[in-house]
Amino acid sequence: MNTTTPPAPDTRTAGPARASRTTLAPDTARASGTARTSGTSGAAGHARRRGVSPRTGFWFVAVAFAVLMAFGTAPTPLWPLYQDRDGFGATTVTLAFAIMVVGAAVGFLGLGHLSDRWGRRRIIVPALLTDVAAASLLVLWPGLPGLLTARLLTGLAVGLMASTATAYLMDLWHRAHPGQPLSTTPGLVATVSNLGGLALGPLLVGVLAQWSGSPLVTPFVLFGAVMLVLLVLVLAAPETVDTAQVSGTRPARFALREGARPVFAAAAATGFFAFAATGLFSALGAVIVRQDLGSTSPLVAGTVTFVVFGASVLAQLLLGRLPVVGLLRLGALLFPLGLGLTAVTLYVPSLALLLLAAVLSGSGSGLLFKASVDRTAAAAAPTSRAGVLAVFFVVAYVGMGAPSVLFGLAANHFGRQPVMLVFAVLLSVGTAVAAWTAVRASAGGRARTVRPSRIVASGPSPAPADSGVPGPAAYGVFAPAASAASLVPDSAASAAPAASAASVGSAADVGSVASRASAAAVGSAASPARSGRAASALCG
């Protein structure tokens, strides 16, 4: 049946003219051949009819996120077995772990932002396929070259998945619950999927390796099969990015809200140190268990890493509703306690002491990580969510890999015991400075932050209110467990002008911001005087 459609109004027209264009029924739009220009409501409705609901898709994506992250830490309890099979030492273990960081950096910076333009599923599906390829290499290509290549692919998959899945979970939640723009649930689920997956990987593989006849094969066959199933489930989830709307534009790879650069830089530096401790346990935990504690059990080695990440998740679940400043202060207190006990464990070998150190280190890391992700997400422009998170995760993963490699190299020359003492001091000092800077930046950021409904994003036009797609108002509070402290009171907001378009950085800007954050993180560790002021400020 032919439908006569009046000429489309100028796309710059606001108000009723714009809204009327989106009220065409999807069937009518397809019949008249105008499905591509019928607005985002038709695209959203079509996506829902083709697959599962946003609510169901939310949990499909969360599980896929967790499993992919679990695969990233899966080899942790197997490092001693790889050493025996391939004949390499502890330094090569740290390099095999850290090469994942190289792949992650490529994925984050080169590809992680593309989901803002191409769609979430078009990035998550290749991420799962890349990890399936990595699992296949670990099974079919025994030897150090196969291990290193698989780790590189694993990092690439992490880079594709982490920022994209975090943004996707936010999108799906706001589409399923449009009346809950301030809900902390999607951020909490994203954090649990991320760190919870990292925690479960070593434990599950430790169990399989303990009682499996092929400990270097069976776990990866199972991981590959599970990820193939999850790939199919993710394909059924609705797409939340209107690719037709952004096809003629290029969303900024890295765009921050006005005046948010100090907030982002401090958050990235905090993330660097938060991941440093987890990286040390992931890379060297199994080696410490075997060589210092005298245990050859893969299950024990996997349990230590599980406790680190598990404590991180549990701390966020129990204390995640604290204000960002409270998270930073408590995290900066627990973090050095855990590192100090880890150093003591090397002098007084005790599994119980090592597990206690893992609990304290993991809890401190988790609280610091959550606070830094909160501030990063609050600093991001609504049209550059995945891109800003990608840069943040690059800095965080550099923190996970670089200190571990340096530790392994130094330990070869000076021994693990003295090197662990030095690293505990440097990382504790750096954490105190980074957290103190983040507290100051958060205090300044609150004075400049406007209400979400006043944010006007550069790039694609906001989605109509009736389209079912969250607009900039919803994403103005895009932050895992966003703190209410990031919003000014109504009285202050009423006096504030509308926010200007978010500042946009080029690809070179992305690299410069990331390098400055990393440099600030590394350089802060060498400033004892500044760390003293930082500790005083954090302790109130």
Side-chain angles (χ1 to χ4, degrees), residues 1 20 71 106 146-147 247 253 290 315 326 349 362 433 491 538:
M1 165 177 175
S20 64
F71 184 77
V106 173
L147 175 62
S247 60
R253 292 178 61 176
R290 184 176 190 178
V433 172
S491 58
L538 289 169

Side-chain angles (χ1 to χ4, degrees), residues 159-250:
L160 288 170
M161 174 66 86
S163 59
T164 301
T166 302
Y168 199 9
L169 289 172
M170 290 288 175
D171 294 346
L172 290 168
W173 179 267
H174 287 302
R175 178 172 288 184
H177 305 85
Q180 302 179 26
L182 293 176
S183 173
T184 62
T185 300
L188 188 61
V189 171
T191 300
V192 171
S193 296
N194 189 336
L195 297 179
L198 293 172
L200 288 175
L203 183 65
L204 293 176
V205 172
V207 171
L208 291 172
Q210 186 73 31
W211 290 287
S212 170
S214 302
L216 301 182
V217 173
T218 302
F220 304 115
V221 171
L222 294 178
F223 264 106
V226 170
M227 284 187 285
L228 285 175
V229 173
L230 289 171
L231 186 151
V232 175
L233 296 181
V234 169
L235 284 173
E239 180 55 70
T240 57
V241 174
D242 183 12
T243 54
Q245 184 181 10
V246 302
S247 60
T249 63
R250 291 183 63 87

Side-chain angles (χ1 to χ4, degrees), residues 309-336:
F309 288 106
S312 177
V313 174
L314 187 60
Q316 294 180 61
L317 290 174
L318 296 178
L319 303 171
R321 296 185 184 275
L322 289 175
V324 170
V325 172
L327 294 175
L328 290 169
R329 288 176 173 172
L330 185 56
L333 176 64
L334 296 176
F335 188 84

